[in-house]
Amino acid sequence: MMVCICNALKERDVREAARQGAACPTSAYRSLGCRTRCGQCISFAREIIAAERATA
């Protein structure tokens, strides 16, 4: 599933960034070599990161 259309980031990308230590969307995107643009994806990315951190 696409999380960020602007950066073409998929859910699996954000999950992997969270597994590698990203604690927020900004740090996840930075680790993936991009940054937030329009901001529409921030809440969804935040949910994904929280879910990954809860299972870690």
Side-chain angles (χ1 to χ4, degrees):
M1 175 185 295
M2 292 299 289
V3 172
C4 178
I5 302 297
C6 297
N7 290 301
L9 295 180
K10 295 182 172 115
E11 183 176 351
R12 68 175 179 232
D13 300 324
V14 177
R15 287 189 184 281
E16 182 59 30
R19 285 185 210 114
Q20 298 298 320
C24 67
T26 303
S27 61
Y29 287 24
R30 190 178 316 119
S31 75
L32 295 166
C34 54
R35 62 180 176 83
T36 57
R37 293 185 183 176
C38 75
Q40 295 279 329
C41 58
I42 296 295
S43 61
F44 186 40
R46 192 173 287 131
E47 289 176 26
I48 293 168
I49 293 167
E52 280 300 315
R53 292 175 60 92
T55 61

